[in-house]
Amino acid sequence: MKKGKVLKSTGKWYIIELENGDIVNAGIRGKIRLKGFKTTNPVAAGDEVMITENEDGTGVIAEILPRHNYIVRKSINLSKQSHILAANVNRAYLLVTLVAPETHLAFIDRFLVAAEAYRIPVTLLFNKIDVYEGEEILIVDEIMAMYERIGYPCHKISALNKTNIEFLRNDIKDKQVMIAGHSGTGKSTLINALDSNLDIKTAEISIHHMQGQHTTTFAEMHKLQTGGYIIDTPGIRAFGVIDLDKKVMSHYFPEMRALLNQCKYHNCQHLNEPQCAIKDAVEEGEIEASRYSTYVDLITEDQSLNYR
C-alpha cells in the first residue's frame, strides 16, 4: 500500500497525491463509509490515506489515517448528516465582505465556533477593501476591532489588486491551510494571487442577488510552489453547526470561556440563570451583543433541522 494526500473529492473518485509526487485517481472501499459519524463525504480534501493500486493505474482507498483535526458543517441536503469541509488544517482563513455579498456577523461566529470546536486557528480576511468608502471603512474597522479583542487576527486585503497579501504568502508557506467564505467573496481570486502557477476559475457576481455564483463544487487542495497546500472550499451560503454538545457551547466562545468559573452555578447555560457572569458581561459591553445572540441561537436551535 502507498500513502498519499487527498487533493480533491468529486463524490465517486478522489484525486490523490502520493508521497513521490505521482497523482492517482482512486475509488473507496465500501466499508470505510460505515465507520465514524454520518457524513456525506467520508474522505475530504486534506485527508491522508493509504491506497492500493490497480493494474490500470487507478487506486482504491483502503484506509483513512487519523486526522489531526477537521472542520465540519451541517449538510444542506441531508439535515441529519454532516459535511466535512477540509481535514488536517493548520489554519483557516475566512474571507469577509460587507457587500456583494454581505457576510453577516452570525455567519462569522458560526464558522469560528466550528473551528474552535476542532481546534483550528482562524484569521479573518476583510476582502475588497479597495471598493469601500468612508462609512464602510469605519464599519470594517469596528468589526475588525471586535474580533481582534477576542483574539482573532484580522487583515484588510484586496485579492483583486493583490493588496496586503504578502503577509499571507509567508503565513501559509509549508502549511496546509483552507480558504472559506460565501460565494463571491474572492476565494479563487485570492488563491490565484498567492501562487502564479494557479489559475482557478472565478465567476462574476450575480447582480440580481448580489452574491457569488458557485465556481467550486467540491473542496480542492492545491500544492503551492513555495511549499505547502491551500484548500479552496465551495462557497458557503449558511453555516449549520452540527454534533456540538450544547452543555459546553460557551467553551467555543473564547471571551465567554474566560468567565465561566465566575457564574454562580457550575452548569450555568447563560440564558435565564441568576448571577451569570456571561450575561453581566454582555450588559456591561464586555461581550458583544451580536456574539451572545449567536450563542443563544446555537444553544436553543434544533441541530437536527436544516439551517439556512
Side-chain angles (χ1 to χ4, degrees), residues 124-156:
L124 300 179
L125 301 176
F126 290 78
N127 194 23
K128 305 187 183 180
I129 203 68
D130 52 309
V131 302
Y132 301 149
E133 297 176 351
E135 189 177 338
E136 291 171 330
I137 294 286
L138 293 176
I139 293 171
V140 169
D141 287 340
E142 281 181 22
I143 298 172
M144 285 178 61
M146 177 175 82
Y147 285 107
E148 284 175 336
R149 279 196 302 273
I150 299 167
Y152 295 105
C154 297
H155 297 271
K156 296 176 190 171

Side-chain angles (χ1 to χ4, degrees), residues 76-285:
I76 58 171
N77 299 320
L78 301 162
S79 63
K80 292 183 181 177
Q81 288 202 320
S82 55
H83 178 81
I84 303 171
L85 291 173
N88 301 318
V89 179
N90 294 122
R91 180 170 286 273
Y93 296 87
L94 182 65
L95 260 66
V96 177
T97 49
L98 288 194
V99 291
E102 179 183 0
T103 307
H104 293 285
L105 296 181
F107 176 86
I108 298 173
D109 291 339
R110 284 171 173 269
F111 184 89
L112 293 175
V113 163
E116 287 282 343
Y118 298 102
R119 294 180 175 82
I120 297 172
V122 179
T123 294
L124 300 179
L125 301 176
F126 290 78
N127 194 23
K128 305 187 183 180
I129 203 68
D130 52 309
V131 302
Y132 301 149
E133 297 176 351
E135 189 177 338
E136 291 171 330
I137 294 286
L138 293 176
I139 293 171
V140 169
D141 287 340
E142 281 181 22
I143 298 172
M144 285 178 61
M146 177 175 82
Y147 285 107
E148 284 175 336
R149 279 196 302 273
I150 299 167
Y152 295 105
C154 297
H155 297 271
K156 296 176 190 171
I157 67 166
S158 169
L160 192 62
N161 296 337
K162 300 184 181 180
T163 304
N164 195 25
I165 63 169
E166 193 57 42
F167 83 94
L168 199 48
R169 288 197 184 97
N170 296 326
D171 259 17
I172 65 179
K173 187 179 178 184
D174 297 326
K175 296 188 179 80
Q176 189 161 295
V177 304
M178 71 174 279
I179 303 280
H182 292 315
S183 295
T185 52
K187 296 186 301 296
S188 299
T189 302
L190 176 59
I191 294 171
N192 288 341
L194 290 170
D195 193 319
S196 59
N197 278 4
L198 299 176
D199 185 21
I200 302 164
K201 182 183 173 188
T202 59
E204 297 298 317
I205 292 288
S206 161
I207 299 300
H208 180 65
H209 293 106
M210 288 304 281
Q211 60 191 15
Q213 302 171 52
H214 293 282
T215 53
T216 308
T217 308
F218 298 95
E220 182 168 2
M221 189 161 78
H222 304 278
K223 192 169 188 174
L224 300 169
Q225 55 183 324
T226 54
Y229 298 83
I230 194 164
I231 302 171
D232 184 16
T233 60
I236 307 165
R237 283 221 173 94
F239 203 99
V241 173
I242 191 167
D243 289 340
L244 296 188
D245 185 351
K246 291 185 178 183
K247 295 190 189 72
V248 295
M249 191 68 74
S250 55
H251 291 228
Y252 307 133
F253 290 76
E255 70 274 45
M256 294 185 189
R257 199 161 60 218
L259 299 173
L260 294 180
N261 62 355
Q262 296 178 32
C263 291
K264 180 177 180 180
Y265 299 104
H266 76 278
N267 59 347
C268 185
Q269 292 296 287
H270 324 299
L271 297 174
N272 304 307
E273 299 88 343
Q275 297 180 45
C276 169
I278 302 300
K279 287 193 297 175
D280 289 347
V282 175
E283 287 179 15
E284 292 166 13

